[in-house]
Amino acid sequence: MAGEFQIIERYFTRPSGDRSVVLGVGDDAAVLAIDGLAAVTVDTLVEGVHFPRDMAPDLVGYRVLAVSLSDIAAMGGEPKWCTLALTLAQVDEAWLGEFARGLFELASVHGVSLVGGDITRGPLAASLQLIGRVGERYLTRAGGRPGDDVYVTGTPGDAAAGLALRVATAAPQGTQAERGAAAVQGAYAMALRERFERPTPRVAAGRALAPLANAAIDVSDGLLADLGHICERSGCGAIVDVDALPLSEALAALVPPDAALEYALSGGDDYELCFTAPRSNAAAIDAALAACGTQARRIGRLIEGSVVECRRGGAPFAPPARGYTHF
Ligand code: ADP
Ligand code: MG
């Protein structure tokens, strides 16, 4: 059975073409050439708590990096270097190979180098620390001002619906027309599942927004909850126009309108960006996001006060309580 050093050598040592990695995996610590300001974040995924026991290992490897990339994106940073602390219940080389494949696949997309880590025995968990570069103007939760527009990227709610859809669906039966309709539903369900299993951290969008937005956060707890964090830190309130929420075609097709709204407002795990910016930057924001291929929608604005309110058809709207189980 492979020992700790063989595991590191086999699965976690990849040459980095990055000259900023002066010394990578293999010594007592890595040495990096960090020029200017760095943003640092760490996240831990514990089996059975943050990911389901049966989750494919490549998706766990992908996810542990994706959630930290999303944090750096929300700071408007450029992700650069990471370290990985793995806790393994046993040495399962097939699992490790797939985990590493998922991790390095996403790392190479973003030019991130794995420069060190740790392996220990215990209940399965992965902890990844990511360091990114930020410019003098980076994004925080605290920079929002009353009057700012509130935006969200992508189509919120998909990941939470996709998680609910992980429950196995029965093989389609019935007439050809019924089977055809089931196939369309199946394709939508796959699309939502993919949004939970392989969230897209909005790194390019975050960097593009750094000079233009006043505040930003990544949506991990749910849009209203995370917008609430911006409001708290920025000392203001917000109005969200739920009619403006960009719902995906798949979400709208698979769940009733009220459930779709609830997923979009309260569902977690989207890893989209919620940000605020002065109206005077609207055109520049549209252009900057179009250039990096990310959609964003204006969904409301910051106001004086401390409350996050929703409006539907112009009237106050109490968001549906959590707890839909439509699948
Ligand atoms: P130490 O005893 O000095 O902490 P380790 O034996 O834990 O060293 O690790 C040896 C080297 O392998 C170090 O450079 C460490 O950063 C690296 N390393 C250990 N585990 C991992 C991992 N999961 N991924 C990447 N590098 C790792
Ligand atoms: Mg160690």
Side-chain angles (χ1 to χ4, degrees), residues 143-215:
R145 287 175 215 141
D148 277 5
D149 287 319
V150 174
Y151 296 74
V152 68
T153 62
T155 51
D158 290 355
L163 175 62
L165 278 167
R166 290 185 89 254
V167 182
T169 42
Q173 292 177 342
T175 66
Q176 197 171 359
E178 283 164 354
R179 289 202 305 276
V184 171
Q185 299 255 310
Y188 281 138
M190 289 279 289
L192 294 183
R193 258 187 83 146
E194 176 82 3
R195 299 278 297 130
F196 169 73
E197 291 182 339
R198 297 172 74 85
T200 305
R202 302 296 182 186
V203 175
R207 291 182 70 188
L209 289 169
L212 298 170
N214 279 343

Side-chain angles (χ1 to χ4, degrees), residues 4 117-119:
E4 188 186 333
D118 191 35
I119 296 184

Side-chain angles (χ1 to χ4, degrees), residues 16-295:
S16 163
D18 190 332
R19 298 226 318 272
S20 69
V21 181
V22 179
L23 194 59
V25 168
D27 217 300
D28 291 313
V31 177
L32 307 173
I34 302 184
D35 210 15
L37 301 180
V40 184
T41 182
V42 65
D43 264 295
T44 300
L45 302 183
V46 176
E47 185 189 45
V49 180
H50 304 100
F51 63 94
R53 244 166 231 289
D54 62 349
M55 194 171 204
D58 64 309
L59 297 181
V60 180
Y62 179 98
R63 187 172 199 82
V64 74
L65 178 57
V67 297
S68 286
L69 284 171
S70 183
D71 283 330
I72 297 294
M75 302 300 291
E78 176 195 11
K80 291 290 292 177
W81 313 280
C82 68
T83 59
L84 171 70
L86 263 185
T87 308
L88 301 172
Q90 75 269 323
V91 176
D92 176 343
E93 293 214 47
W95 192 93
L96 282 166
E98 283 295 285
F99 174 89
R101 187 173 65 77
L103 174 69
F104 282 110
E105 187 188 299
L106 185 60
S108 73
V109 167
H110 292 281
V112 168
S113 301
L114 178 64
V115 299
D118 191 35
I119 296 184
T120 182
R121 194 175 284 270
L124 182 62
S127 191
L128 187 134
Q129 181 179 53
L130 181 61
I131 306 170
R133 288 200 173 113
V134 290
E136 294 292 331
R137 196 179 196 290
Y138 51 88
L139 298 173
T140 69
R141 301 174 179 190
R145 287 175 215 141
D148 277 5
D149 287 319
V150 174
Y151 296 74
V152 68
T153 62
T155 51
D158 290 355
L163 175 62
L165 278 167
R166 290 185 89 254
V167 182
T169 42
Q173 292 177 342
T175 66
Q176 197 171 359
E178 283 164 354
R179 289 202 305 276
V184 171
Q185 299 255 310
Y188 281 138
M190 289 279 289
L192 294 183
R193 258 187 83 146
E194 176 82 3
R195 299 278 297 130
F196 169 73
E197 291 182 339
R198 297 172 74 85
T200 305
R202 302 296 182 186
V203 175
R207 291 182 70 188
L209 289 169
L212 298 170
N214 279 343
I217 191 168
D218 67 319
V219 179
S220 54
D221 295 341
L223 184 55
L224 287 182
D226 287 316
L227 175 56
H229 295 316
I230 287 183
C231 287
E232 255 164 59
R233 300 293 303 278
S234 297
C236 55
I239 292 179
V240 173
D241 172 12
V242 301
D243 302 310
L245 286 172
L247 302 183
S248 72
E249 200 182 308
L251 185 67
L254 287 190
V255 305
D258 279 359
L261 270 189
E262 197 236 331
Y263 280 124
L265 290 170
S266 310
D269 292 325
D270 280 315
Y271 299 103
E272 295 295 346
L273 296 180
C274 175
F275 61 95
T276 82
R279 177 61 57 90
S280 55
N281 284 350
I285 285 171
D286 288 347
L289 293 183
C292 58
T294 302
Q295 308 261 351

